[in-house]
Amino acid sequence: MLLRSFQPRTRLLVLALGHGVRRLHVSAAFNAKAKVSMSRFEPSNYVNYEKLNENVNIVRKRLNRPLTLSEKIVYGHLDDPVGQDIARGRTYLRLRPDRVAMQDATAQMAMLQFISSGLPQVAVPSTIHCDHLIEAQIGGAKDLARAKDINAEVYNFLASAGAKYGVGFWKPGSGIIHQIILENYAYPGVLLIGTDSHTPNGGGLGSICIGVGGADAVDVMAGIPWELKCPNVIGVKLTGKLSGWTSPKDVILKVAGILTVKGGTGAIVEYHGPGVDSISCTGMATICNMGAEIGATTSVFPYNHRMKTYLEKTGRGDIAALADDYADLLVPDTGCEYDSMVEINLDELKPHINGPFTPDLAHPMADIGATAVKNGWPLEVKVGLIGSCTNSSYEDMGRSASVAKQALDKGLKCKAAFTITPGSEQIRATIERDGYSKILGDVGGMVLANACGPCIGQWDRRDVKKGEKNTIVTSYNRNFTARNDANPATHAFVASPEIVTALAIAGTLDFNPEVDYLTAANGEKFKLKPPSADELPKLDFDPGQDTYQHPPAEGGSKLRVDVSPTSTRLQLLEPFDKWAGGDLEDLQILIKVKGKCTTDHISAAGPWLKFRGHLDNISNNMLIGAVNIENDGVNKIKNQLTGEYGGVPDVARYYKANGLSWVVVGDDNYGEGSSREHAALEPRHLGGRCIIVKSFARIHETNLKKQGMLPLTFQNPADYDKIRPDDKISIKGLATFAPGKPLSTVVKHSDGTKDEFQLNHTFNETQIEWFQAGSALNRMKELQ
């Protein structure tokens, strides 16, 4: 929980920002030892375990049962712990997060929305992190310099907006948002929301860190209670102990194989059991990070000595000491119950590799060779890529260097191209000081900038042509079609950094380092020994260059944030139109999507990232990756007004210009993947009104609601098959739109026949107000 600095006589501070905003109740009688700063960058904002504990006790008494750790942290941040209706998987919780974090690609739209709100300052500690706009091309320093030049307008906007509205600014080159959060801002018991789907990384430090869209971040920065559907809790009990080639990454690769890409939807995954203590803090973060790939709201580990050691090593020993005092608060209650349970014996867990094209297709390393041959997947590994927000810790780099050193000692280098992405400037500087960078470079690796890079498609790849079938292996988290290099024929596999390093050295996918031999330069056969490395550096971390910009102490009221009306990168937002008051009649189907449709399909990243602050320009990528069921084509749909075929955005613009609203029909888990709200903003901007699918991914469904769209699901999934690409759809019942009450639809076919069926929704009363106002931001303005 968050407390600010107050004068001794201050009993109550009300931030009068309109209806429903944050009211901070502060007691002057602080226990001296409890006054521990949340971070070194915000010395007057304090960790408040006392309030967290008070709220947890209220809720525990109300529910009359033991609580999971997830419940303690989430319910401990309730706006109204006394009156809040609490039912897992059913009710919506109104929460008070402690802080907000935004990466630069999503921060542009979040800050544009915050500017539109008219508020003078953010109500909670907030930060912007420049990590998404740096393209990997020729190496770290040169790529960073190029990015600073190309993106100067965006970086200046974010820096000046941060200064004006009280948001900390991490400059390009500082590192990936999630590593920066782990090093500086996450701590046991904190509730943090971030505008990136891999925000759950912070769960490795006992935090509840949840990925959201920019509009959710605006709510929290405005001091408004943030809504979250009360999560179910999936327990993952770990027994045994990690050893040998098996790594923390293999835990989540195994869990992904068990739960699939949608098995965690609507739930927090809570790891517990005796096996937890064999995993480092950064290893726990790896597991929580990739929990996004099973659709989980977030993931979390209980506070233990590995977290304490990490806090101390990153200069936060005072937080560790305070956490020790509240240790019982930061672990699950004895006897707590989970909605479902997965058990994994770490003694028996083997190294895994997942893919291609989906992160839940899990294979033990012992099986991948035969499986690849059977399926016709290329065995030659073209590129091995380690790092990213999932696996770029000091321990990860050390274990990879341990493997690389063995190869070098035998006169070998990588057969595949090999890249290394440090997670932060602190990691880069420390692995350079301690010799890891030299080893990884000597074996054939190229160190990239401290940024997301190829993991999100920021990769100027030139070794294969687009459409050329090939295999890459990464220590990243996602491997959707064309995600890393924009080549749909690239078969991307996900594994631990040490496995990726071994495969890059061997050059082939069917190499299993547990049993297979390499040939040394002198012709002798040898096996790689299991990697070993220090969890944390023996010396202190080297912080490297100072890349943080503090908001001005005197406030930013006199500062200006200018957006040029001729800019191609930034565009001020215009309010979306309100609901007209009636049913939605004769919506044209824009596209009926076939199969998997992630946010990468809806709003591609890579070269499109440069338009994330310009809604009209970024909308030119809307649904260009989605497969049209009519012709199995991509970005090729029929314009029902002209009879001609065109790109999805082009047809949508034509419909909008001619006053024809439209609807998208989709399959299961629609919108899985990134938190990018552009996948919701773009359909709204181009005239969309409704998305009808079999099921949604959590973040995307919320983002659609925030922008005044209607995300609806088939009551009977088989009704998907009744819809034809040239149909017109009417949505009935909006005059009596209410929580829990289905809407109906009339589908008119071109042959004069029609179908009628029910559509479900998950709107609550507040979210219905968003729809009626035209967007959540419109509703916020109405309430000011």
Side-chain angles (χ1 to χ4, degrees), residues 369-419:
T371 303
V373 171
K374 178 182 176 181
N375 289 283
W377 302 334
L379 286 178
E380 180 189 4
V381 174
K382 288 286 191 181
V383 190
L385 305 98
I386 65 170
S388 88
C389 65
T390 318
N391 277 114
S392 58
S393 68
Y394 185 82
E395 181 182 39
D396 288 329
M397 296 295 112
R399 285 173 67 89
S400 296
S402 169
V403 174
K405 181 69 164 57
Q406 295 179 59
L408 287 170
D409 288 346
K410 297 293 185 178
L412 297 184
K413 291 193 174 187
C414 291
K415 290 184 178 179
F418 185 45
T419 70

Side-chain angles (χ1 to χ4, degrees), residues 518-576:
L518 294 170
T519 303
N522 64 4
E524 75 171 290
K525 302 286 186 181
F526 75 99
K527 272 177 62 177
L528 292 169
K529 297 176 183 176
S532 62
D534 291 332
E535 175 181 345
L536 295 164
K538 289 184 173 65
L539 303 174
D540 287 340
F541 278 107
D542 183 340
Q545 299 179 34
D546 183 5
T547 55
Y548 179 71
Q549 172 186 293
H550 289 268
E554 65 277 11
S557 60
K558 296 179 181 179
L559 301 177
R560 290 177 55 88
V561 180
D562 293 322
V563 175
S564 169
T566 61
S567 173
T568 61
R569 299 289 300 270
L570 298 165
Q571 181 186 45
L572 294 174
L573 298 175
E574 295 292 333
F576 290 131

Side-chain angles (χ1 to χ4, degrees), residues 449-461:
N450 313 324
C452 301
C455 183
I456 59 163
Q458 284 283 47
W459 183 16
D460 184 18
R461 188 180 181 193

Side-chain angles (χ1 to χ4, degrees), residues 468-597:
E468 182 180 338
K469 196 173 177 181
N470 74 101
T471 285
I472 65 173
V473 290
T474 83
S475 69
Y476 302 163
N477 39 48
R478 289 199 180 122
N479 56 352
F480 301 142
T481 302
R483 175 175 173 85
N484 301 123
D485 61 359
N487 181 5
T490 293
H491 292 56
F493 295 85
V494 178
S496 68
E498 49 266 49
I499 289 292
V500 172
T501 304
L503 292 178
I505 292 165
T508 182
L509 192 64
D510 59 358
F511 176 74
N512 179 5
E514 288 195 303
V515 297
D516 292 334
Y517 287 79
L518 294 170
T519 303
N522 64 4
E524 75 171 290
K525 302 286 186 181
F526 75 99
K527 272 177 62 177
L528 292 169
K529 297 176 183 176
S532 62
D534 291 332
E535 175 181 345
L536 295 164
K538 289 184 173 65
L539 303 174
D540 287 340
F541 278 107
D542 183 340
Q545 299 179 34
D546 183 5
T547 55
Y548 179 71
Q549 172 186 293
H550 289 268
E554 65 277 11
S557 60
K558 296 179 181 179
L559 301 177
R560 290 177 55 88
V561 180
D562 293 322
V563 175
S564 169
T566 61
S567 173
T568 61
R569 299 289 300 270
L570 298 165
Q571 181 186 45
L572 294 174
L573 298 175
E574 295 292 333
F576 290 131
D577 59 312
K578 294 183 178 183
W579 172 56
D583 291 335
L584 300 179
E585 300 284 355
D586 292 332
L587 302 175
Q588 182 66 59
I589 291 183
L590 179 69
I591 181 173
K592 182 179 179 183
V593 177
K594 177 182 178 181
K596 185 186 281 281
C597 190

